[in-house]
Amino acid sequence: MDDYVAEMRKLVGHIPLLTIGCGVIVESEDGEILLQKRTDDGTWGTPGGGMNFGETFAEAAAREVLEETGLTVGNLSLFGIYSGKDSIVEYPNKDVCFGALVIFRTNKYSGELFAGSDESEELRFFSRDRLPRNLNRLNGIWITQWQKGQKTIFVG
């Protein structure tokens, strides 16, 4: 099943779903973070999304980065695991998900950035002191931790 959530939505409509999401903090050689301006709500966040049936966390994270940015990532290290009330998201189409989220970090990537996907309006690297103001509410949690130089793995 390549898009598990889409298949489940056909069966349950907007009823809240428990999901697993994966994302990646992609850092440039200059220590900047890659952010995408989302097409659904215009906020900035890290590339990522839901796992497909049978994927590993790392496979899902790498696939999402490739789909949303055109970059192939490698050497993923765990940055944090996120859950709780902050992980409840209502999307503009009224779908509600409670996500357990696994966020990786890497500075190893190749390829050319493109913002032509259905999910990315714009892609840009930002320094720690010049992040955009309109961060995605959920992604803002780990982006802020990255900004502050978090070194240990976050579990929450």
Side-chain angles (χ1 to χ4, degrees), residues 23-27 33 46 76-82 101-106 128 139-156:
V24 182
I25 294 171
V26 178
E27 293 178 302
I33 188 171
T46 53
L76 298 176
S77 62
L78 184 61
F79 185 81
I81 301 171
Y82 301 82
L101 302 152
V102 178
I103 305 302
F104 295 95
R105 171 187 212 155
T106 190
R128 291 182 199 285
N139 290 211
I141 296 168
W142 54 83
I143 293 169
T144 300
Q145 290 170 333
W146 169 85
Q147 181 184 37
K148 293 178 180 177
Q150 176 179 306
K151 299 293 182 205
T152 59
I153 296 171
F154 175 84
V155 177

Side-chain angles (χ1 to χ4, degrees), residues 22-126:
C22 299
V24 182
I25 294 171
V26 178
E27 293 178 302
S28 71
E29 289 180 3
D30 298 328
E32 296 179 324
I33 188 171
L34 176 64
L35 298 180
Q36 68 174 16
K37 189 172 186 183
R38 299 168 54 106
T39 58
D40 62 354
D41 65 6
T43 62
W44 289 88
T46 53
M51 286 182 81
N52 288 334
F53 207 78
E55 284 184 309
T56 67
F57 297 120
E59 289 169 344
R63 175 186 50 78
E64 286 288 342
V65 172
L66 180 62
E67 288 175 1
E68 295 176 3
T69 72
L71 298 179
T72 301
V73 293
N75 198 27
L76 298 176
S77 62
L78 184 61
F79 185 81
I81 301 171
Y82 301 82
S83 60
K85 291 180 183 176
D86 288 334
S87 296
I88 299 170
V89 175
E90 182 174 337
Y91 293 95
N93 68 356
K94 302 300 180 198
D95 285 352
V96 177
C97 291
F98 170 64
L101 302 152
V102 178
I103 305 302
F104 295 95
R105 171 187 212 155
T106 190
N107 60 6
K108 303 292 183 200
Y109 59 90
S110 61
E112 294 294 321
L113 279 178
F114 74 87
S117 78
D118 292 342
E119 299 179 52
S120 299
E121 183 178 320
E122 184 179 350
L123 298 164
R124 193 180 330 158
F125 282 94
F126 292 90

